[in-house]
Amino acid sequence: MAFALRLLFLLCGISGLLTGVWSKSKLVAKDNGCPKGWTRLDCHCYIFQDEQRAFADAESVCQIIHGNLASIHSDLENAFLLELIRAGGEEGQSWIGLHDTIADGDYIWTDGSDQDFLNFNVNASPNPEPNSANGDCVEIDEDDGLWQTAECIDTNIRTYVCITDVLFH
């Protein structure tokens, strides 16, 4: 699975879904419509933030830099975020923008986009995900790319990924 995800990431870069050039194993942005330091996939720009924060604080930082916690709408986007997190050196979980803090079991994205893709760890033991008993915020696991719920409390800190729209000139 990990090999397939890495291969998918490589193919995306080669096929032009990612804009920019590789230099010293980092993506260096050209004029790709993304703010400096962000990486583009389709019509969105992403940035991994390695400073750990609570869910609400992470969303606030994303908003300050004109984005939101990342929303994920396909297997490709999930694999892309996973590789972005791994490239950032994260070994564990990172926040994504999905939560059910307003209504239990009604998961929504912080950017207001439609919930049209889920990648919860439905085989988690002893309780399959999503499981609000574990918490109302959602994190992606660096090991397998599966999602799990976690407490949104201020002491539960994680790295995170922000998303913003491509800036058209």
Side-chain angles (χ1 to χ4, degrees):
M1 175 74 172
F3 174 76
L5 289 175
R6 286 192 169 96
L7 180 61
L8 179 63
F9 186 71
L10 177 63
L11 290 174
C12 289
I14 292 170
S15 69
L17 287 175
L18 296 172
T19 56
V21 294
W22 289 99
S23 172
K24 296 181 184 177
S25 76
K26 290 187 178 181
L27 192 62
V28 178
K30 288 185 179 177
D31 184 18
N32 64 0
C34 291
K36 185 175 181 168
W38 294 61
T39 305
R40 181 175 176 174
L41 175 67
D42 295 331
C43 294
H44 294 101
C45 305
Y46 303 84
I47 191 166
F48 173 73
Q49 300 289 320
D50 62 356
E51 183 178 8
Q52 295 192 359
R53 295 190 175 271
F55 185 88
D57 290 342
E59 173 64 15
S60 293
V61 170
C62 290
Q63 288 178 0
I64 288 168
I65 57 177
H66 306 289
N68 293 93
L69 282 172
S71 56
I72 303 172
H73 301 281
S74 68
D75 282 322
L76 174 62
E77 209 170 1
N78 197 75
F80 175 79
L81 256 69
L82 184 59
E83 289 303 317
L84 203 62
I85 292 165
R86 288 175 176 164
E90 177 56 27
E91 295 181 7
Q93 294 78 30
S94 296
W95 292 126
I96 57 175
L98 195 63
H99 66 94
D100 74 341
T101 58
I102 297 171
D104 194 34
D106 185 16
Y107 287 89
I108 58 173
W109 292 107
T110 57
D111 66 5
S113 60
D114 291 336
Q115 179 208 304
D116 52 5
F117 173 81
L118 295 173
N119 198 40
F120 281 107
N121 186 357
V122 295
N123 296 318
S125 180
N127 301 314
E129 294 284 359
N131 184 352
S132 287
N134 297 336
D136 295 319
C137 294
V138 178
E139 58 193 15
I140 184 172
D141 190 289
E142 178 268 335
D143 288 333
D144 54 18
L146 295 174
W147 308 351
Q148 56 201 26
T149 52
E151 291 290 336
C152 303
I153 56 176
D154 288 342
T155 56
N156 193 14
I157 59 173
R158 303 272 187 270
T159 57
Y160 54 99
V161 178
C162 300
I163 186 173
T164 193
D165 292 329
V166 169
L167 307 170
F168 294 102
H169 303 287

